[in-house]
Amino acid sequence: MEQSCVAMGKTHLILWAMAEEFIEQARSLCFVATTQPNSQPGWRKRHQNLVTSAIKCLIACVSGESQSMTQLDKAKSRLRLAQILFEETESLERCEDEISKAITMADAIQGVEALDIQLQLYDLQIQIYMETKRFRQAKNIIRMASAEAAKHELHAWKYQFCLTKAKLHFLMDDLAGSLTTLGEGATIAEKRGDYDVKLAFWILGGQYSLMLSNWDQAMFFLQKLSPHMGLEQIHIITPNSGNPPEEIPQPSCESRHLRVLFLILFIFCMLRSGNVAKALVALSALQVGLEETRPRDGDDLQGIFKVALRNAQQTSQQVQPMTLSIKWMSFSQVYTLTYLLSGICSKADMTNPAKSQQYLAEGIKVVNREFNVNDYASAAIYVRKNQQWFSLLMLNMLLHLADVYLLQFDHASAEETLLRATYWCKVCNVWDTFKWRISLSIGMLMHLGGKLDEALTWYGICMSHVESSHKDPEGYDTKSIALINAAIIYCGDRHFDLQRVKSIQMEVKSRYPSSTMTPNITCALHILDSWTVEGLMLARYIPAY
């Protein structure tokens, strides 16, 4: 085979095959190193050498002057080189240069195959623009690529660019634009019978709503999704909906990955709304789902899964299933996130704090290993993103673990855990994000220890938070809790100030529409209301005669 290719002057075919073999070996090495920790010492250096070899093969293709290479072959070579540069290195400038040259070549070629190469190039160019925050350029390319996909009725590409456009709107803090785009994609999918694709659009709509603290919108998506997930115990019925409608059979979700993503979204929303019982049911289903979706290859490991498309028009004479590739969280991210959710659910259940402590302590060990050892995403750009993600997960685990220790009145362990959280904030350069929550936890530690002046000082740091709920939901809720805790101190003998308590009550109530206030804050306000009933608190200070 090799000799015949050389004899025909088609050495580029050999170089393509060699490049793919090197990349396949590099990714297999990542997979083994991740799934079997410590089994591949020095694997990163070998991985880097394999990637470099693949790049050299493709550079030889694009820089050669072989007469047997067509313009389409040259465009393919530059596309593959750009993909590897983007996925495995941080050479974005060289990557953009190869994309520009390949697009110029593809534009001059007619045919379905050239169109597919062109759309792949547009997709990669959009990813680079979004990565470098050039949103206007990304928007223009999406508009042009979507028009091409619609013109030729390439439904997989239409869905892909809908997902990309929705993500772009989300990155620009435009939730309305993101949800509109996802709604359009879901409508197209429903008309074509691609029900799992429709559910994927809904799940992303719920995720974006949750991440931008639009809880009502997130619950709206959960309500639409729950009948498709095959779990009767987690169906959502909204209040004031009157009599339940007649049961209409709904197509079940066929993708196990989508069910896992739905359960994660569902658990977050149930915990936020105080419905711990449903969160625990969904958590059990999530733990089973993780076993069913254990990674089988590098794509699975990195969170890339495929959703089958029904009735898809083939662009070639080969009959093969058409799929839509979706990238979400990697398996390692979902696996470690489940530890956090298990710890929060057990803490919220309040029946067994030790169980919550066990989940969180074990999760911290796993995250620490992932952060320091298993950089499963081979590209430097993905490694950096993964480390950022794991650092945020670690901080959330540490802060919830500190809460568990406070519930157990183990002040020494709570203090040690908060010191670890502070250290992580400094190391990972995220102090500005987490200082509100850490200050609140330190304030509660001082409060429970009877150091009320120090507690008020730390609560004061939280109360200086000025961001809106939309921009910083964690800081926004933290400020509300700090206000309520300060009010509790002002209800006591040492710092009694009834007017300040009432002022704080009014401020907290004004911060939330009734539909967005969490059950915990609502409960705390009811307690304060009962304490500040006229005459009840003052009666303690009337001297006896």
Side-chain angles (χ1 to χ4, degrees):
M1 175 66 179
E2 292 182 6
Q3 291 178 349
S4 62
C5 286
V6 172
M8 297 171 63
K10 295 186 177 182
T11 54
H12 64 279
L13 298 178
I14 299 174
L15 291 170
W16 282 357
M18 289 174 64
E20 293 307 316
E21 178 63 24
F22 287 134
I23 288 298
E24 184 61 32
Q25 288 183 28
R27 291 178 175 170
S28 296
L29 188 59
C30 284
F31 182 80
V32 174
T34 302
T35 55
Q36 301 174 26
N38 304 319
S39 65
Q40 302 289 324
W43 70 275
R44 288 181 181 80
K45 182 63 176 176
R46 285 186 287 145
H47 173 270
Q48 184 179 5
N49 290 338
L50 288 166
V51 171
T52 301
S53 297
I55 290 173
K56 287 180 178 178
C57 288
L58 292 169
I59 288 175
C61 284
V62 301
S63 58
E65 294 296 334
S66 172
Q67 296 297 320
S68 63
M69 281 189 75
T70 64
Q71 286 294 98
L72 182 61
D73 291 335
K74 293 178 181 178
K76 283 183 180 179
S77 299
R78 291 191 183 278
L79 167 63
R80 190 66 183 119
L81 176 57
Q83 288 173 335
I84 293 175
L85 288 170
F86 180 73
E87 294 168 1
E88 310 290 347
T89 75
E90 290 199 68
S91 303
L92 292 183
E93 289 186 10
R94 174 66 187 272
C95 181
E96 284 192 75
D97 183 53
E98 295 297 338
I99 290 173
S100 298
K101 292 176 181 177
I103 288 176
T104 302
M105 292 177 179
D107 284 344
I109 307 171
Q110 300 296 322
V112 172
E113 195 172 2
L115 177 62
D116 187 65
I117 295 294
Q118 189 179 49
L119 292 175
Q120 289 186 62
L121 288 164
Y122 286 150
D123 185 50
L124 185 55
Q125 192 173 44
I126 292 163
Q127 291 182 57
I128 293 173
Y129 285 152
M130 290 198 297
E131 182 65 33
T132 53
K133 301 188 185 307
R134 288 178 283 175
F135 297 140
R136 180 177 297 178
Q137 292 96 318
K139 196 171 183 179
N140 291 336
I141 299 297
I142 289 173
R143 185 184 299 113
M144 181 168 55
S146 298
E148 283 294 313
K151 176 182 176 182
H152 297 276
E153 296 187 352
L154 300 175
H155 300 291
W157 278 114
K158 286 166 66 177
Y159 292 143
Q160 185 63 53
F161 290 124
C162 265
L163 292 172
T164 305
K165 184 179 178 182
K167 181 180 179 180
L168 176 63
H169 281 293
F170 172 74
L171 293 174
M172 298 170 66
D173 285 336
D174 179 13
L175 180 60
S178 181
L179 296 184
T180 298
T181 302
L182 291 171
E184 293 169 356
T187 300
I188 296 171
E190 184 168 22
K191 288 179 179 178
R192 290 188 47 77
D194 294 326
Y195 294 112
D196 272 15
V197 176
K198 179 183 73 172
L199 298 180
F201 281 117
W202 284 355
I203 288 173
L204 283 172
Q207 178 192 346
Y208 291 158
S209 301
L210 182 66
M211 293 176 72
L212 294 177
S213 299
N214 191 323
W215 301 101
D216 289 342
Q217 191 68 51
M219 290 297 292
F220 168 75
F221 281 109
L222 286 179
Q223 186 182 5
K224 295 206 297 184
L225 284 162
S226 58
H228 299 271
M229 295 301 160
L231 288 171
E232 294 292 334
Q233 302 96 319
I234 64 172
H235 280 196
I236 298 175
I237 299 176
T238 56
N240 304 321
S241 57
N243 296 324
E246 295 182 9
E247 289 292 327
I248 300 175
Q250 300 287 352
S252 296
C253 178
E254 297 179 2
S255 169
R256 294 176 179 178
H257 291 88
L258 287 177
R259 286 202 296 270
V260 166
L261 307 188
F262 163 78
L263 289 168
I264 291 174
L265 180 66
F266 183 90
I267 292 169
F268 269 112
C269 286
M270 291 301 102
L271 288 173
R272 177 64 167 66
S273 64
N275 197 332
V276 179
K278 283 194 174 183
L280 288 169
V281 171
L283 180 64
S284 298
L286 174 61
Q287 291 165 345
V288 173
L290 278 179
E291 291 300 318
E292 296 176 347
T293 55
R294 283 194 170 274
R296 294 165 294 180
D297 54 31
D299 280 352
D300 280 348
L301 198 66
Q302 295 188 29
I304 301 172
F305 62 94
K306 292 178 171 56
V307 178
L309 305 184
R310 300 177 186 273
N311 306 316
Q313 292 182 354
Q314 303 297 320
T315 57
S316 68
Q317 293 183 351
Q318 290 183 325
V319 179
Q320 55 183 356
M322 296 287 286
T323 59
L324 174 67
S325 293
I326 297 176
K327 188 178 190 314
W328 209 60
M329 290 192 297
S330 70
F331 178 81
S332 294
Q333 289 175 328
V334 174
Y335 180 74
T336 49
L337 181 60
T338 302
Y339 276 104
L340 174 62
L341 294 174
S342 300
I344 296 174
C345 285
S346 300
K347 184 183 76 170
D349 189 29
M350 292 295 291
T351 57
N352 191 357
K355 188 176 181 182
S356 175
Q357 178 184 333
Q358 181 182 358
Y359 278 126
L360 292 169
E362 185 63 29
I364 287 168
K365 292 179 184 177
V366 175
V367 173
N368 193 58
R369 186 189 70 205
E370 293 287 344
F371 186 86
N372 291 299
V373 179
N374 294 326
D375 299 335
Y376 54 85
S378 54
I381 191 170
Y382 291 136
V383 170
R384 186 179 67 251
K385 285 184 176 180
N386 289 329
Q387 289 184 335
Q388 290 172 349
W389 192 91
F390 280 121
S391 67
L392 296 178
L393 182 63
M394 171 69 86
L395 282 163
N396 276 285
M397 285 185 168
L398 287 170
L399 289 170
H400 282 288
L401 182 59
D403 288 346
V404 172
Y405 286 135
L406 289 175
L407 287 171
Q408 297 173 320
F409 296 99
D410 186 351
H411 295 176
S413 296
E415 183 175 359
E416 179 185 353
T417 304
L418 289 172
L419 286 172
R420 288 180 64 189
T422 304
Y423 170 78
W424 268 85
C425 278
K426 296 297 185 181
V427 168
C428 302
N429 196 30
V430 290
W431 173 252
D432 286 342
T433 302
F434 280 88
K435 63 182 177 182
W436 316 110
R437 289 184 62 189
I438 292 178
S439 297
L440 176 65
S441 295
I442 295 174
M444 291 192 292
L445 178 64
M446 298 294 106
H447 195 161
L448 290 172
K451 300 177 181 179
L452 302 186
D453 291 325
E454 291 90 335
L456 286 172
T457 298
W458 285 102
Y459 292 152
I461 294 174
C462 301
M463 288 186 274
S464 67
H465 186 272
V466 294
E467 288 291 339
S468 67
S469 173
H470 172 72
K471 293 290 185 181
D472 185 6
E474 291 285 358
Y476 196 82
D477 286 342
T478 296
K479 179 175 179 177
S480 300
I481 296 170
L483 284 164
I484 291 170
N485 286 351
I488 292 172
I489 292 177
Y490 292 129
C491 288
D493 296 347
R494 287 164 55 184
H495 296 81
F496 180 72
D497 189 334
L498 183 58
Q499 288 303 117
R500 184 170 290 187
V501 172
K502 290 184 176 181
S503 174
I504 288 175
Q505 285 178 281
M506 294 297 295
E507 181 177 353
V508 174
K509 290 177 181 178
S510 68
R511 290 167 61 78
Y512 296 94
S514 58
S515 61
T516 62
M517 187 178 294
T518 66
N520 287 338
I521 292 177
T522 302
C523 181
L525 286 174
H526 285 325
I527 293 172
L528 282 177
D529 287 339
S530 69
W531 286 357
T532 54
V533 172
E534 187 175 354
L536 179 61
M537 192 177 295
L538 290 174
R540 297 159 49 200
Y541 298 93
I542 299 175
Y545 290 96

